[in-house]
Amino acid sequence: MSARAWSPPPLIANPWLRRGLALAAAAYLLAAVSSIEVNWERVREGLDRGAAFVASFARPDFVSRWGDIHEGIVESLSMTFAATAIGIALALPVGLGAARNLAPAPVYALCRGVIALSRTFQEIIVAILFVAMFGFGPLAGVATLAFATIGFIAKLLAEDIEDIDPAQVEAIRATGATWPQILVYGVAPQVMPRMVGLSVYRLDINFRESAVIGIVGAGGIGATLNTAFDRYEFDTAAAIILVIIAIVMGSEYLSSVVRRRLQ
Amino acid sequence: MQVSADDLLVLEGLSKRYPTGDRALRDVSLRLPAGQVTMLIGPSGAGKSTLIRCVNRLVEPTAGRVLLRGEDVARLPASGLRRARRRMGMIFQEYALVERLTVMENVLSGRLGYLDFWRSTLRRYPADDIAAAFALLERVGLGGFADKRADALSGGQRQRVGIARALIQSPEILLVDEPTASLDPKTSRQIMRLICELCAEKGLAAIVNIHDVALAKMFAQRIVGLRAGEIVFDGPPADLGPDILTRIYGEEDWTAARETDEDDADERPEDPLRLAEARA
């Protein structure tokens, strides 16, 4: 008895379309590569500067600007905590309103709009806007991070609420509970562990973002780092980057521990 | 229909049409005296769940009246509806406990309709409620389980918590939706027996949706058959013969199913239709 051959059906059934797409992809790649202009002179210069920069990492200077570094770190951390707390407090009602199974249509549309607005712009763009509004400094940074936190937390909270078991909510409603009681007894227990996990995760993200938005003038360690680069103090810059890496790794580890505990 | 004084619950011309166009209930009228346990049988999709959910308006009826001691629940505003719901305890098919709360919190949640927001949120329940909760847990056989989380319990234990939650409302009627559909045959009987005993002890009426005809006949005082949203039978369990079952469920060899019931009652499948299929 001869074995019957089998091969999985191709992703695109039409053979002409399939071969045509493969050909088009190859042609595009060829055209794209041939259009790249490399100035080897500049590459060589850049590599030299890069080597100097990497070399300075071998001897980071924590000491001569320690006052600035310390101030920047403290500022970044306080920005992070303030912005996360404010952002979560504002995100809770927005997230509730953006859950299709809880909110009436107009509230749903409004809250989804807020989320979309918050998530449309990258933090740096928002930071530039807030720096223009509030001036340089940590206030603009806190506003930026809080604004970004609203979109992040509210969206994920809303999606979590939309996935809850409706039977538990129905059972609480059947007892004669009011709407706020239904939220506390029927909804909150179902979303709380994930909500705490997300908040810790967002705290972690906000610290990293606080370093980035400092570069456009929104305060914190990013501003200190930018100043170090402007003065060509690569050894101080290296020290700042190492401190940032240490804090990010530490907070990431802590947030992963917290989230694992919550499962 | 004339409403008499000893009718606890009267349904008049109750209809429900879902937005999809499905007519789940068509002009259903039913009167339930206080203290009577009525079992509602019928094929899947006959409208059993819709009927009991129209009583406490988890589903809004499209037309008709729901008279609880003469008061039309279907016309009540939100606050009146919440007060009416306190008088109707509900027990669910998949238990519908709040999984991450403790057994005690689940039982006490039956008192939410009597409590203001802050007291319930901070779990500051009146001492009477807490005493009643402990007594009920003891009664349903779950003494010592108060601080266990609901998701740590077995199916039968969860349904006992569900029963305690319904009873702590001090209801006048129990609305019971397929209480045994996810339980094994032995636990099913124990749960049905417990529900019926408690109804007798506390003088409660009950509407019980149930798939298992044999179990219904064993425990019901009255059986109502629903088919395609209409009542096609209403009488004592003894009247439920093969011709009536055909009227409710459709053509099937009911005598064969009945013999098996008597042979090995404990291994009976939940659905008489499926039983006959298995034998074919």
Side-chain angles (χ1 to χ4, degrees):
Chain A
M1 192 175 147
S2 70
R4 287 176 66 185
W6 180 86
S7 60
L11 192 64
I12 301 164
N14 183 343
W16 286 103
L17 182 62
R18 192 164 68 232
R19 285 176 203 139
L21 282 175
L23 214 65
Y28 174 79
L29 201 65
L30 207 71
V33 169
S34 66
S35 74
I36 298 174
E37 288 173 25
V38 185
N39 183 341
W40 292 106
E41 193 68 15
R42 284 185 57 185
V43 170
R44 198 174 44 76
E45 280 174 27
L47 281 179
D48 284 349
R49 250 196 313 250
F53 183 62
V54 170
S56 69
F57 264 90
R59 38 181 177 76
D61 179 6
F62 291 92
V63 187
S64 49
R65 299 264 176 210
W66 178 248
D68 292 343
I69 297 175
H70 179 259
E71 201 178 310
I73 291 288
V74 169
E75 192 167 276
S76 259
L77 285 174
S78 25
M79 273 165 62
T80 303
F81 282 107
T84 308
I86 295 169
I88 291 170
L90 294 175
L92 289 177
V94 177
L96 281 175
R100 196 186 291 273
N101 50 351
L102 289 183
V107 178
Y108 173 79
L110 177 75
C111 291
R112 283 284 166 178
V114 171
I115 292 175
L117 185 72
S118 159
R119 287 171 54 83
T120 302
F121 301 106
Q122 218 279 335
E123 276 89 340
I124 301 215
I125 304 204
V126 181
I128 291 171
L129 197 76
F130 279 129
V131 167
M133 280 166 65
F134 300 128
F136 291 102
L139 176 62
V142 170
T144 302
L145 296 177
F147 184 72
T149 303
I150 293 174
F152 179 87
I153 297 281
K155 182 176 198 294
L156 295 170
L157 175 64
E159 271 158 23
D160 214 23
I161 292 176
E162 283 171 357
D163 283 341
I164 60 174
D165 172 15
Q168 299 180 32
V169 177
E170 194 182 38
I172 298 298
R173 181 176 292 132
T175 65
T178 59
W179 201 77
Q181 285 176 322
I182 293 171
L183 285 185
V184 171
Y185 272 78
V187 179
Q190 296 196 58
V191 300
M192 195 57 93
R194 199 168 132 77
M195 191 57 211
V196 174
L198 283 175
S199 302
V200 177
Y201 181 44
R202 186 65 218 188
L203 190 74
D204 180 13
I205 295 176
N206 276 351
F207 179 75
R208 272 178 285 156
E209 294 294 340
S210 80
V212 176
I213 60 174
I215 292 170
V216 296
I221 189 69
T224 320
L225 181 65
N226 203 29
T227 309
F229 273 116
D230 287 347
R231 292 172 177 157
Y232 297 101
E233 293 172 352
F234 288 147
D235 42 5
T236 301
I240 294 172
I241 288 173
L242 288 176
V243 170
I244 292 175
I245 290 173
I247 294 180
V248 167
M249 285 176 76
S251 70
E252 208 164 288
Y253 174 75
L254 275 181
S255 89
S256 78
V257 166
V258 169
R259 279 179 287 148
R260 210 175 319 125
R261 284 277 181 87
L262 287 169
Q263 291 310 308
Chain B
M1 193 192 273
Q2 195 60 47
V3 179
S4 83
D6 46 313
D7 281 330
L8 173 66
L9 183 72
V10 177
L11 309 182
E12 278 183 1
L14 199 62
S15 295
K16 173 64 188 179
R17 184 199 292 269
Y18 283 105
T20 52
D22 295 335
R23 294 193 62 186
L25 292 178
R26 302 158 189 257
D27 197 23
V28 169
S29 294
L30 196 63
R31 53 173 62 204
L32 290 138
Q36 186 186 62
V37 175
T38 300
M39 305 249 175
L40 205 55
I41 62 171
S44 300
K48 303 190 297 292
S49 282
T50 304
L51 191 150
I52 66 167
R53 281 174 168 74
C54 278
V55 173
N56 63 0
R57 272 173 65 192
L58 290 178
V59 169
E60 289 289 341
T62 319
R65 302 208 289 166
V66 177
L67 302 171
L68 183 66
R69 291 233 183 262
E71 182 183 41
D72 189 0
V73 176
R75 301 277 174 284
L76 287 175
S79 62
L81 174 61
R82 284 198 300 272
R83 273 196 298 278
R85 279 176 178 162
R86 302 194 305 205
R87 298 157 63 193
M88 303 186 273
M90 193 156 177
I91 296 170
F92 295 83
Q93 173 174 354
E94 303 273 2
Y95 331 118
L97 303 181
V98 182
E99 299 279 314
R100 288 203 179 93
L101 295 184
T102 60
V103 166
M104 195 61 173
E105 284 171 307
N106 269 290
V107 174
L108 286 170
S109 70
R111 297 300 295 178
L112 286 176
Y114 297 89
L115 226 61
D116 66 64
F117 174 74
W118 286 112
R119 290 196 77 169
S120 57
T121 302
L122 301 172
R123 313 293 195 258
R124 293 173 61 88
Y125 285 87
D128 288 350
D129 290 358
I130 292 168
F134 275 120
L136 275 167
L137 281 176
E138 207 66 52
R139 176 65 186 85
V140 300
L142 290 177
F145 281 73
D147 288 336
K148 277 219 165 29
R149 244 168 67 153
D151 53 8
L153 303 185
S154 72
Q157 290 170 334
R158 289 186 201 201
Q159 195 56 290
R160 288 165 195 273
V161 177
I163 293 169
R165 173 175 66 188
L167 286 173
I168 203 169
Q169 285 179 230
S170 341
E172 292 167 64
I173 183 168
L174 290 182
L175 306 170
V176 190
D177 190 20
E178 305 277 2
T180 61
S182 348
L183 299 174
D184 67 64
K186 186 178 173 204
T187 314
S188 294
R189 286 177 167 215
Q190 291 171 339
I191 290 291
M192 282 309 296
R193 189 171 298 123
L194 181 63
I195 291 174
C196 293
E197 278 174 14
L198 285 163
C199 282
E201 273 171 35
K202 298 176 189 293
L204 299 179
I207 309 178
V208 184
N209 286 347
I210 190 157
H211 258 306
D212 188 331
V213 173
L215 205 58
K217 285 171 80 168
M218 197 181 308
F219 289 103
Q221 294 163 2
R222 173 187 178 188
I223 288 185
V224 170
L226 212 58
R227 180 176 187 171
E230 286 172 310
I231 291 179
V232 293
F233 171 77
D234 185 353
D239 289 0
L240 202 65
D243 50 328
I244 303 284
L245 284 174
T246 298
R247 203 197 297 162
I248 299 172
Y249 287 100
E251 204 63 55
E252 192 49 71
D253 183 3
W254 300 109
T255 44
R258 255 218 323 232
E259 276 160 25
T260 317
D261 283 352
E262 282 149 23
D263 288 346
D264 46 6
D266 263 0
E267 282 172 17
R268 189 182 47 248
E270 292 162 14
D271 190 334
L273 288 171
R274 258 195 299 158
L275 178 79
E277 257 167 37
R279 290 174 60 89

